[in-house]
Amino acid sequence: MPQGERARVLQRLYRLDRSRATPGSGLGLSLVAVIADLHDATLTLSDNAPGLVVSLRMAALKQ
């Protein structure tokens, strides 16, 4: 995934041009982003050459 598209794929219903012909609605990563935000988690998208690495980091629960 091009670096310039990474922020855009977190938007609801956004799909890369090359994936528009495949099934799906473009909601997967946008839902992950919203849930991460609700839980004060950090969502990071990075290059895997080829591919994409999606990292979700959540704070540990305090006891």
Side-chain angles (χ1 to χ4, degrees):
M1 173 181 300
Q3 185 172 0
E5 297 285 330
R6 291 183 195 153
R8 297 183 78 188
V9 297
L10 299 178
Q11 297 172 0
R12 207 171 27 148
L13 304 176
Y14 183 80
R15 300 188 70 198
L16 295 172
D17 286 334
R18 65 177 179 241
S19 65
R20 291 178 194 251
T22 59
S25 58
L27 290 173
L29 287 175
S30 66
L31 287 172
V32 172
V34 169
I35 293 168
D37 187 51
L38 288 171
H39 292 280
D40 295 322
T42 303
L43 179 64
T44 306
L45 305 179
S46 55
D47 191 21
N48 195 41
L52 180 70
V53 175
V54 179
S55 301
L56 182 64
R57 184 162 232 167
M58 302 181 87
L61 293 174
K62 295 181 182 180
Q63 294 183 5

